[in-house]
Amino acid sequence: MSDSVITSEPPLIDPFGRTISYLRVSVTDRCDFRCVYCMAEDMTFLPKRDLLSLEELDRLCSAFIARGVRKLRLTGGEPLVRKNLMSLVESLSRHLKSGALDELTVTTNGSQLRQHAETLYKHGVRRINVSLDTLDADKFKAITRWGDFERVMDGIRAARDAGLKVKINAVALRGFNDAEIPSMLTWAHEQGMDLTLIETMPLGDIDGDRTDQYLPLSDVRAGLENTFTLTDLPDQTGGPARYVRIEETGGRLGFITPLSHNFCESCNRMRITCTGTLYMCLGQDDAADLRAPLRASEGDALLHQAIDEAISRKPKGHDFVIDRSGAAPAVARHMSMTGG
Ligand code: SAM
Ligand code: SF4
């Protein structure tokens, strides 16, 4: 991997004065699950030649770190199914050691965690997010189509044994897991894991109709308030998550409501796909190709130019709507392209 030295490039500040310090990088569009809200069962994935190599991903991430990105999240698709991903993690860990990067983290479905947890920890990863929508093995099979519940639970155990702090992410789905949320909360908090609930987002065509699944988190919160005492915590993420403390358990519960606009003004993030396309906003289709400038020369001058041009187009906010007419999704790409 390149051991390019981090130079002091100008920070990434968008036209609305927001500094970009958080980059989410999708390292593959492939996945060993087919969650019903995320993918169709019969997905066509990108040809391998379109993907950035691990070396190119390293160069791209390093260019952003040189521009002030301090937190990097590897996601997908399922990041841990990307071959040799651990070599990218190892190589990126040099930025943790140098102090240029505060955090290197991963969002995973947990299926491959048993195999990789210790290596992740060894290379400086300290916290990971594991997506888990139910604690019922049969329902887990139904929602992931291809997932194995016990394997994910084993992966979570391995991660915790390796010293990783685990946060559980669950998509809130009407008629699927709404009744289970209190028990998931108790389970997670008993083991010292935070739980974050995510509202479904209209990203990409799936086999079903999303309006059936959509469950506003305001309803979930109101329901939880019948059982638990929720205390709002100050926002520290600059992202779409709002956190509360559950007084009865002492743990934290997050609500990610991407359909509301209230977080856009503090947005500090951008997303890169595994083909090197930069999305300036999760909820907009506008994007910039960074693969061409990356491949055009060995130096990073063209790449930085393209990044500057892209950031000048970062929009003020997003255009999400769950369309009750059942029309096309607001954003054509699947979540597995940009990794959430
Ligand atoms: N495969 C990994 C995983 O599942 O954690 C990482 C990628 S996945 C796309 C990232 C997150 O996006 C997961 O927590 C998943 O539940 C969530 N997600 C996928 N499609 C979504 C949708 N349409 N609306 C809301 N969240 C979604
Ligand atoms: Fe795969 Fe994650 Fe999408 Fe589920 S949510 S299909 S695990 S990428």
Side-chain angles (χ1 to χ4, degrees):
M1 299 258 167
S2 106
D3 54 352
S4 56
V5 178
I6 297 294
T7 50
S8 53
E9 299 284 345
L12 295 168
I13 301 175
D14 79 0
F16 305 97
R18 298 169 298 191
T19 301
I20 307 306
S21 56
Y22 180 12
L23 189 66
R24 301 171 70 105
V25 184
S26 174
V27 297
T28 176
D29 63 331
R30 287 163 199 256
C31 187
D32 52 346
F33 290 7
R34 292 288 181 281
C35 301
V36 295
Y37 48 77
C38 178
M39 294 191 182
E41 184 153 22
D42 182 18
M43 291 285 287
T44 309
F45 293 111
L46 294 163
K48 291 227 166 87
R49 63 173 181 278
D50 286 355
L51 298 197
L52 295 184
S53 67
L54 294 172
E55 288 75 11
E56 287 171 330
L57 280 168
D58 180 85
R59 209 178 125 204
L60 197 52
C61 292
S62 301
F64 275 94
I65 294 167
R67 305 294 301 270
V69 161
R70 304 219 40 106
K71 176 172 172 179
L72 209 59
R73 178 176 298 280
L74 304 181
T75 172
E78 173 47 38
L80 299 183
V81 302
R82 173 87 197 238
K83 211 166 157 215
N84 285 333
L85 184 78
M86 291 306 119
S87 67
L88 177 65
V89 173
E90 176 172 15
S91 141
L92 289 172
S93 71
R94 73 187 184 281
H95 299 304
L96 291 169
K97 290 186 195 119
S98 76
L101 195 61
D102 293 330
E103 186 169 34
L104 177 59
T105 182
V106 178
T107 297
T108 173
N109 65 24
S111 68
Q112 315 292 319
L113 264 179
R114 160 81 38 205
Q115 190 186 341
H116 296 301
E118 283 184 9
T119 317
L120 287 170
Y121 189 87
K122 184 170 127 205
H123 297 312
V125 175
R126 290 294 174 266
R127 300 193 300 172
I128 59 169
N129 290 351
V130 179
S131 304
L132 180 73
D133 302 325
T134 174
L135 291 174
D136 177 309
D138 293 334
K139 281 164 76 178
F140 184 82
K141 186 73 170 183
I143 200 80
T144 62
R145 294 196 185 104
W146 295 2
D148 176 344
F149 178 72
E150 283 311 327
R151 191 174 160 128
V152 170
M153 295 307 269
D154 182 56
I156 293 174
R157 265 192 301 277
R160 299 181 63 233
D161 290 348
L164 295 167
K165 195 162 168 39
V166 176
K167 178 161 80 72
I168 303 293
N169 281 347
V171 176
L173 297 162
R174 181 179 296 286
F176 176 76
N177 61 3
D178 27 7
E180 232 193 306
I181 290 171
S183 53
M184 288 188 72
L185 181 70
T186 312
W187 167 78
H189 287 183
E190 270 170 9
Q191 297 176 69
M193 303 188 290
D194 289 341
L195 174 70
T196 296
L197 302 173
I198 309 174
E199 242 169 36
T200 43
M201 288 180 255
L203 290 180
D205 267 325
I206 52 168
D207 296 332
D209 176 0
R210 281 201 171 88
T211 51
D212 296 344
Q213 304 172 321
Y214 180 61
L215 172 60
L217 290 185
S218 49
D219 290 3
V220 176
R221 184 178 171 139
L224 286 172
E225 276 169 340
N226 293 327
T227 317
F228 298 103
T229 316
L230 280 58
T231 309
D232 285 306
L233 295 171
D235 176 40
Q236 289 165 339
T237 64
R242 294 284 171 269
Y243 285 94
V244 297
R245 179 165 306 287
I246 304 291
E247 297 305 337
E248 288 77 5
T249 62
R252 292 198 323 160
L253 173 67
F255 297 96
I256 300 191
T257 48
L259 303 182
S260 76
H261 275 266
N262 53 16
F263 62 90
C264 292
E265 65 273 14
S266 60
C267 181
N268 62 353
R269 59 195 61 196
M270 297 204 291
R271 295 170 167 80
I272 292 186
T273 69
C274 52
T275 57
T277 303
L278 180 69
Y279 282 92
M280 287 72 88
C281 170
L282 177 63
Q284 300 259 3
D285 275 327
D286 188 28
D289 172 38
L290 299 183
R291 187 178 58 188
L294 186 76
R295 289 184 174 168
S297 73
E298 281 188 8
D300 287 344
L302 290 175
L303 179 60
H304 283 298
Q305 240 173 47
I307 294 173
D308 283 331
E309 199 279 323
I311 196 160
S312 76
R313 288 194 275 130
K314 183 165 163 69
K316 197 168 178 200
H318 60 68
D319 289 338
F320 277 135
V321 194
I322 290 229
D323 184 341
R324 302 229 163 245
S325 69
V331 174
R333 65 184 188 275
H334 285 93
M335 183 70 113
S336 48
M337 270 181 72
T338 42

